[in-house]
Amino acid sequence: MGGMSERSGMPGEGLVKGLAVTLKTMTRPSTTQQYPDVAPELPPRSRGVIALLEENCTVCMLCARECPDWCIYIDSHKEEVTVPGAARPRQRNVLDKFDIDFSLCMYCGICVEVCPFDALYWSPEFEYAEHDIKDLLHDKDHLGEWMATVPPPPAHDPHGDPSKEETTAARKAAAPARPAAVRPEPGPAADGGTAP
């Protein structure tokens, strides 16, 4: 049987290798993290709790619609805003209720990603356990308190491409100042008439 390859090795070789790994692990000293006395070092993009920046929320409902667990509850009302010089008053949504039920949340981050106005952020805080599951429903005031724990965004990569905003600002700063447009004086037109 030339096509079949024979297994090489002795019987029980896998068992010996497994016991060697176990012995190596048993002889290594263990390191115990002294939580809660010593705060753990979390990865930079760890997901703890979702924070809300209320003034950025326009009640577009994208986060609630995209949430696979339906754990975001939003309620609002319309308010008329009078703009000077406008023909009629405009309407804007005012946020009345923004609750996230963290007993249902699976921390997928879809709500943070789909928010077009940067109203939702990840906070690395993870110590918000409660004695009663009903207390895991955080309202907009409680979510707003988590904003103080949101880390600043990482610095821009100095070797990467500049952002669109940086490119536009640099181009405007480097452009020479244009003189104000001068309106031509009315005078004789090319066909011999006068300009209006």
Side-chain angles (χ1 to χ4, degrees):
M1 306 232 186
M4 269 182 143
S5 62
E6 295 181 17
R7 290 186 184 173
S8 61
M10 300 173 17
E13 184 179 353
L15 178 66
V16 172
K17 285 183 180 178
L19 287 173
V21 171
T22 304
L23 185 63
K24 187 169 107 177
T25 305
M26 285 176 57
T27 58
R28 189 180 312 147
S30 63
T31 56
T32 304
Q33 292 187 350
Q34 301 299 322
Y35 178 80
D37 298 328
V38 178
E41 288 187 26
L42 299 173
R45 295 182 62 194
S46 60
R47 296 178 174 185
V49 71
I50 297 169
L52 170 71
L53 186 60
E54 186 178 345
E55 53 266 20
N56 283 8
C57 183
T58 61
V59 198
C60 66
M61 306 289 283
L62 270 176
C63 55
R65 278 185 272 152
E66 296 295 326
C67 178
D69 289 335
W70 293 86
C71 65
I72 300 175
Y73 311 105
I74 301 175
D75 196 13
S76 67
H77 69 276
K78 292 202 180 288
E79 188 177 84
E80 285 194 349
V81 178
T82 306
V83 179
R88 59 188 173 98
R90 296 183 182 169
Q91 288 189 341
R92 72 179 184 108
N93 289 324
V94 178
L95 186 65
D96 293 330
K97 174 175 125 177
F98 193 105
D99 297 348
I100 298 180
D101 191 351
F102 285 104
S103 66
L104 296 175
C105 181
M106 65 179 185
Y107 303 91
C108 63
I110 293 175
C111 58
V112 177
E113 291 173 16
V114 300
C115 181
F117 301 104
D118 292 332
L120 296 174
Y121 293 89
W122 278 116
S123 166
E125 290 296 318
F126 61 93
E127 299 176 313
Y128 55 95
E130 300 288 348
H131 293 289
D132 191 354
I133 196 169
K134 292 183 289 189
D135 294 333
L136 286 173
L137 181 70
H138 292 185
D139 61 357
K140 65 178 181 174
D141 296 328
H142 199 161
L143 296 171
E145 292 171 7
W146 293 114
M147 277 306 296
T149 64
V150 173
H156 185 68
D157 182 9
H159 302 296
D161 294 333
S163 67
K164 179 177 63 174
E165 293 83 7
E166 290 174 327
T167 307
T168 305
R171 190 175 42 221
K172 284 183 179 178
R178 287 191 279 165
V182 179
R183 181 175 252 177
E185 292 291 324
D191 61 355
T194 58

